Amino acid sequence: MIKVLSKEMSDTYINKYRNNVKNKDEFYYKASLAIYNYSKINNKTLVIIGDSNESVFSLSFALLLKSRGVDVSILQVSPINNSNVIDYLSKCIDLYIPVYVYKSDFNLLNYETIVESMLNENREMNDEIRNIINIINDSNIYVLSIDINSGLDINNGKADNAIISNLTVCMGYAKTGNFLNDAKDYFEELVVIELDEKYDDYSYYVVEKSDLKKVFKTRNYNSHKGTYGYIGVMGGSYNYSGSVKLSNLAVSSLIVGGGVSRVICPTDIADSIMPYLLESTMYPIDSNNKGGFSFDEQSISHAIDSLTSLAFGMGIGESTDNELVLEYILKNYKKKLLIDADGLNTLSRMDLNMINESDASIVLTPHVKEFSRLINVSVDEILDDPIKYALDFTKKYKCVLVLKGTSTIISYRDRLYIVHLGSSALSKGGSGDILSGLIAGIMGYTSAIDASIAGCYLLGEAGVIASKRYGDYATLPRDIISTIKEMMKEY
């Protein structure tokens, strides 16, 4: 996994290497060489700097470009007070690298490549810098951003105006702002350059494909369906039968390795779901007068009996019966339980301390609006600091939180993981239902946290592949499911 830092952690890391690196010139040279070897920049280049710590890397990179015979110049866009920036700017001047202070008549379009690190840690932007960003974004110049694109909030990835880069190079560690909210709309490619100095305290992690090997191991010949779990998908109502179909497709097709699947649905929609149950069993429960679940303790007990994992809530609609059903499950089900969609809306009207009192291993999969209802905090406040709210929640409540967004945040106790893969092809009704089915299926044979990580990664990767194959507009949820089935050939 790639480590990722918040702004506060990034500042601590920067101060740590400032104080501990014995030979700073060698340190910055190695970092610059790594950028050069990856980017292969060799044409007329403008390095745009401000007073940021990132600008030290940019200036060191300018020195390296000069030594390789590249035509390189430096543009200063703000006053410099950072002693490290001043030191490296002096080194550049000593090597006769042209240094300009920005004026409105400066021709940014006279260069083929721009390397930029304009804004300091507080990311304040004046009209001058805003104008520079607009000129660059409207051009066809190749842009390399150091650490994080100027204009993006380093902590939450929000932006009202930011550099759009061809390549963003994170120094040492990715930052949370490289992945959240608007961030992925502002770069084509992002890489992390590992530095010599290590920083391990309170790190977050970006999930990589290799991390899934822990979950999808080579299977023994001497195994059977019970080895891989009995998975239940409990949801649907007269108005929302489609969601449980999609969850069931993700599980009953067994594409993620679950052993047996069982669809638990209201009797009113049983006939409409039956044609989709080619590999699954069905357990109908009496419907209430809204076409949803009627609370019947004996029926629910029999429906969830012997299940290794259970996904609850997709398409169950609004009903007072739902609270009774969920309360019963929380009090009596002792295996792995995923709550999604209307199940989360139901939970938001209940006492959340029931999560801690439950013997089940619980996974909650809200999008930001659903999470807002759970914690009674506005959507905007959550988006300003989603990491904080996710961690605070799982420190207070005994569960795995899967907070869905442009990048998915997975929080468990005091550990946090980010799945950054995905595409706008997933921005359609049904994608969340597929995720619930994936996680529930994988929970049949592994832990709740590992299943959450693997399920989110698979869905995100499928979104990327399907987007390339069918386009963001035309991709359907069924395309995502078939794509995941193809992807599972790798394991």
Side-chain angles (χ1 to χ4, degrees):
M1 292 184 180
I2 301 172
K3 293 176 185 174
V4 57
L5 302 179
S6 67
K7 178 183 185 300
E8 292 77 13
M9 296 174 187
S10 175
D11 290 344
T12 302
Y13 168 69
I14 288 167
N15 290 330
K16 182 175 180 180
Y17 80 61
R18 272 181 182 168
N19 296 329
N20 292 344
V21 173
K22 294 180 180 178
N23 189 331
K24 292 183 181 179
D25 289 345
E26 181 181 351
F27 173 82
Y28 285 118
Y29 173 78
K30 287 181 178 180
S32 298
L33 186 61
I35 298 171
Y36 180 80
N37 288 338
Y38 189 87
S39 64
K40 307 297 184 185
I41 291 173
N42 59 9
N43 50 23
K44 189 175 183 180
T45 300
L46 180 66
V47 175
I48 307 179
I49 65 163
D51 198 33
S52 67
N53 289 304
E54 292 91 343
S55 289
V56 185
F57 288 105
S58 295
L59 290 169
S60 177
F61 186 54
L63 290 170
L64 180 68
L65 291 178
K66 178 70 173 180
S67 71
R68 299 299 171 98
V70 176
D71 183 355
V72 58
S73 300
I74 295 166
L75 179 64
Q76 178 185 329
V77 297
S78 63
I80 305 297
N81 297 304
N82 186 315
S83 59
N84 277 337
V85 177
I86 293 171
D87 180 32
Y88 271 81
L89 188 56
S90 297
K91 294 177 188 294
C92 291
I93 293 171
D94 289 344
L95 283 182
Y96 302 104
I97 297 176
V99 178
Y100 304 96
V101 176
Y102 181 75
K103 294 181 180 179
S104 58
D105 60 351
F106 186 89
N107 188 5
L108 291 161
L109 304 181
N110 196 30
Y111 297 87
E112 298 170 273
T113 295
I114 286 177
V115 177
E116 70 88 15
S117 52
M118 286 185 278
L119 298 180
N120 59 20
E121 282 69 29
N122 61 26
R123 303 283 148 183
E124 292 178 359
M125 189 186 305
N126 57 32
D127 290 341
E128 207 167 61
I129 291 178
R130 190 178 297 274
N131 183 53
I132 293 170
I133 289 174
N134 290 337
I135 292 172
I136 293 172
N137 287 348
D138 290 340
S139 74
N140 292 318
I141 300 172
Y142 183 92
V143 179
L144 186 157
S145 291
I146 299 294
D147 223 32
I148 189 166
N149 299 40
S150 289
L152 284 179
D153 187 294
I154 200 168
N155 204 40
N156 61 35
K158 281 189 170 184
D160 59 5
N161 192 29
I163 284 286
I164 299 172
S165 70
N166 300 88
L167 172 65
T168 296
V169 177
C170 302
M171 305 311 302
Y173 300 86
K175 314 301 181 287
T176 51
N178 289 123
F179 301 104
L180 303 177
N181 290 311
D182 301 310
K184 292 194 288 183
D185 287 320
Y186 286 91
F187 62 81
E188 293 180 8
E189 183 181 11
L190 183 141
V191 298
V192 176
I193 302 294
E194 293 187 1
L195 304 177
D196 294 338
E197 190 70 20
K198 300 300 179 185
Y199 183 81
D200 297 320
D201 297 336
Y202 308 106
S203 294
Y204 311 145
Y205 297 91
V206 176
V207 180
E208 299 173 277
K209 193 179 187 70
S210 58
D211 297 317
L212 271 61
K213 293 178 181 178
K214 176 182 178 182
V215 174
F216 301 125
K217 303 173 183 177
T218 301
R219 293 192 159 184
N220 295 330
Y221 286 105
N222 187 17
S223 61
H224 53 82
K225 61 187 180 183
T227 306
Y228 304 115
Y230 290 79
I231 299 98
V233 176
M234 186 173 183
S237 61
Y238 186 78
N239 290 330
Y240 301 106
S241 63
S243 58
V244 74
K245 291 177 189 176
L246 288 169
S247 295
N248 176 53
L249 281 168
V251 178
S252 68
S253 59
L254 310 178
I255 56 176
V256 291
V260 178
S261 64
R262 176 188 301 168
V263 174
I264 306 165
C265 66
T267 53
D268 278 6
I269 63 171
D271 288 345
S272 68
I273 291 177
M274 184 67 74
Y276 296 89
L277 303 185
L278 302 179
E279 294 92 4
S280 292
T281 60
M282 175 183 281
Y283 195 109
I285 291 177
D286 285 343
S287 300
N288 59 20
N289 58 7
K290 294 184 178 181
F293 288 113
S294 175
F295 177 67
D296 181 277
E297 183 175 320
Q298 186 175 12
S299 295
I300 295 170
S301 176
H302 288 162
I304 65 177
D305 183 50
S306 75
L307 293 178
T308 311
S309 68
L310 172 65
F312 171 80
M314 298 73 63
I316 61 174
E318 298 288 331
S319 167
T320 53
D321 280 296
N322 291 339
E323 294 178 32
L324 297 173
V325 171
L326 181 54
E327 180 179 358
Y328 179 84
I329 292 172
L330 286 169
K331 288 182 176 180
N332 295 278
Y333 185 66
K334 301 182 187 301
K335 299 295 178 63
K336 285 162 277 189
L337 170 65
L338 182 147
I339 304 174
D340 184 32
D342 289 329
L344 293 167
N345 295 332
T346 301
L347 182 63
S348 70
R349 298 189 294 270
M350 300 167 63
D351 181 2
L352 294 189
N353 286 315
M354 293 184 71
I355 295 172
N356 292 334
E357 295 166 1
S358 176
D359 290 329
S361 296
I362 297 173
V363 178
L364 307 181
T365 58
H367 54 60
V368 177
K369 184 62 177 178
E370 291 164 339
F371 190 45
S372 172
R373 296 188 190 107
L374 281 175
I375 65 176
N376 197 28
V377 173
S378 74
V379 168
D380 286 340
E381 288 178 276
I382 294 171
L383 292 176
D384 281 341
D385 201 349
I387 301 291
K388 172 188 179 300
Y389 286 107
L391 282 172
D392 285 350
F393 189 86
T394 56
K395 288 175 182 177
K396 185 175 182 180
Y397 299 108
K398 187 184 65 175
C399 67
V400 176
L401 177 71
V402 176
L403 183 57
K404 297 179 286 193
T406 53
S407 288
T408 298
I409 296 169
I410 304 167
S411 184
Y412 178 57
R413 297 175 180 167
D414 60 350
R415 303 290 284 175
L416 190 138
Y417 307 86
I418 295 175
V419 175
H420 72 284
L421 290 178
S423 74
S424 61
L426 296 173
S427 301
K428 294 184 179 178
S431 295
D433 302 311
I434 294 171
L435 177 63
S436 295
L438 292 174
I439 295 174
I442 302 168
M443 284 199 303
Y445 53 88
T446 192
S447 69
I449 179 60
D450 287 341
S452 298
I453 291 170
C456 290
Y457 190 93
L458 285 176
L459 183 70
E461 186 180 22
V464 173
I465 295 171
S467 177
K468 294 177 181 177
R469 184 176 296 169
Y470 307 109
D472 289 341
Y473 285 90
T475 298
L476 297 173
R478 71 188 71 170
D479 299 322
I480 298 296
I481 292 171
S482 60
T483 300
I484 294 170
K485 186 173 182 180
E486 290 179 35
M487 289 161 47
M488 291 303 295
K489 293 177 183 177
E490 300 179 36
Y491 301 104

